[in-house]
Amino acid sequence: MPREINGRPVIETPRGPVLTPCAPGSVLARLGDKWTILVVSMLSLSPDAPMRFGALRRGIPDISQRMLTLTLRNLERDGLVARHYYTELPPRVEYELTDRGKSMLKPLAAFTDWIRDTWQDIEASRREFDAAEQRRI
Amino acid sequence: MPREINGRPVIETPRGPVLTPCAPGSVLARLGDKWTILVVSMLSLSPDAPMRFGALRRGIPDISQRMLTLTLRNLERDGLVARHYYTELPPRVEYELTDRGKSMLKPLAAFTDWIRDTWQDIEASRREFDAAEQRRI
DNA sequence: CGGCATCCGCTACGATACTG
DNA sequence: CAGTATCGTAGCGGATGCCG
């Protein structure tokens, strides 16, 4: 039975372990982009009521209309968000997490909790590292 | 007491909730890039022995020397990886997770487990979405 | 109101060649 | 063996303007 790390099978070779190439990487790349986690976070604030496009936009400072549209479209494509379009005047569009989208909240929270508890130390390390680099140059 | 979601404080306003702007995003951006999680995964395979540059490289198919160097340097900058340089001939350089780096393994695993269990459904949704889009065009 | 089209700069990433 | 330097490319993401 092959070893597995972070959901990825590992092949043992004489020269050491080798990770198998990675389809799940395409999921991480999506979720790791600039806005996706923020949009999911906003949608998780009202688990039972859909949110309007404008409310999402106001809730995420500095996101452009274009990037919010693209991010929502990608989440919809992944089956994590459902989109409801109402042909009124002016039109109303609402978004909500699907069951699959909701299923990711708990695992995601485990990870973001770690980030919340650690990011200040990380930023401190960065400043220290950059300062040391300055001195060497 | 303000609400909090995914480690981010939420401000309630008359027009809806607003996420506070996000320093932790810089951590997610780093971890979400193309190679970081893979490198951390490789290093976590031998929690108690450092790994050589070449072993890491062989373990991650398709990573270029340049990107492995950059990824390791960024992880070192974040205090997640320690680098040990030995001035031999030929030189030997070894890397290992720091305590901070190890502290992220469990929360990360919670998240990557979800990805492992879900990514096939997600890819199926993508294919379906793209096919439906084709039909509309 | 929501969203698409267009233009454009920036940076992540890759390929290659060269040093200690 | 490990790392740096250089160059080229692709795509993310921002700004703006127009349409239902």
Side-chain angles (χ1 to χ4, degrees):
Chain A
M1 167 166 153
R3 236 189 331 176
E4 182 181 291
I5 181 68
N6 286 336
R8 196 180 310 280
V10 177
I11 303 168
E12 302 291 347
T13 77
R15 309 210 58 185
V18 175
L19 297 180
T20 54
C22 56
S26 65
V27 176
L28 244 172
R30 168 90 290 119
L31 267 32
D33 75 1
K34 191 169 178 182
W35 301 108
T36 299
I37 298 297
L38 291 179
V39 171
V40 171
S41 298
M42 278 302 291
L43 288 171
S44 73
L45 285 174
S46 71
D48 298 315
M51 288 189 75
R52 295 193 59 164
F53 184 92
L56 287 170
R57 175 155 190 193
R58 282 189 300 276
I60 305 174
D62 295 330
I63 194 172
S64 65
Q65 191 182 39
R66 167 188 157 83
M67 289 318 295
L68 181 54
T69 300
L70 285 177
T71 304
L72 285 166
R73 202 63 73 250
N74 279 321
L75 284 168
E76 189 193 1
R77 179 170 177 261
D78 288 354
L80 299 169
V81 160
R83 178 178 188 266
H84 307 286
Y85 186 89
Y86 303 93
T87 53
E88 310 167 352
L89 249 87
R92 184 170 102 248
V93 187
E94 298 186 332
Y95 297 88
E96 63 182 335
L97 291 176
T98 61
D99 287 343
R100 187 189 297 166
K102 288 174 189 165
S103 77
M104 117 179 174
L105 292 180
K106 247 175 71 109
L108 176 63
F111 190 47
T112 54
D113 284 352
W114 176 84
I115 294 181
R116 179 201 56 207
D117 296 339
T118 319
W119 70 268
Q120 301 185 44
D121 296 336
I122 291 181
E123 301 230 316
S125 292
R126 289 180 181 176
R127 284 191 296 275
E128 197 181 328
F129 186 92
D130 294 344
E133 198 173 42
Q134 272 315 94
R135 261 175 265 125
R136 275 197 308 278
I137 297 177
Chain B
M1 163 167 151
R3 232 182 344 168
E4 182 181 291
I5 181 68
N6 286 337
R8 198 181 310 280
V10 178
I11 303 167
E12 302 291 347
T13 76
R15 309 211 57 187
V18 175
L19 296 180
T20 55
C22 57
S26 65
V27 176
L28 243 172
R30 170 88 290 123
L31 267 33
D33 75 1
K34 190 167 178 182
W35 301 109
T36 298
I37 298 297
L38 291 179
V39 171
V40 171
S41 298
M42 278 301 292
L43 287 170
S44 73
L45 285 175
S46 71
D48 299 315
M51 287 189 76
R52 296 192 60 162
F53 184 91
L56 287 170
R57 176 155 188 194
R58 280 189 301 275
I60 305 173
D62 295 330
I63 194 172
S64 65
Q65 190 181 40
R66 169 188 156 83
M67 288 317 296
L68 180 54
T69 300
L70 285 177
T71 304
L72 285 166
R73 202 65 72 249
N74 278 321
L75 283 168
E76 189 193 1
R77 178 170 177 260
D78 288 354
L80 299 170
V81 159
R83 178 179 188 267
H84 307 286
Y85 186 90
Y86 303 92
T87 53
E88 310 167 351
L89 247 89
R92 185 171 98 248
V93 187
E94 297 186 331
Y95 296 89
E96 62 181 336
L97 291 177
T98 61
D99 286 343
R100 189 189 297 165
K102 287 175 189 165
S103 77
M104 116 177 176
L105 292 180
K106 245 174 73 107
L108 175 63
F111 190 47
T112 54
D113 284 352
W114 177 83
I115 294 181
R116 178 201 54 205
D117 296 338
T118 319
W119 71 269
Q120 301 184 41
D121 295 336
I122 291 181
E123 301 231 315
S125 291
R126 289 181 181 177
R127 283 191 297 274
E128 196 180 329
F129 186 92
D130 295 343
E133 199 173 42
Q134 271 316 95
R135 260 174 266 126
R136 274 197 309 278
I137 296 175

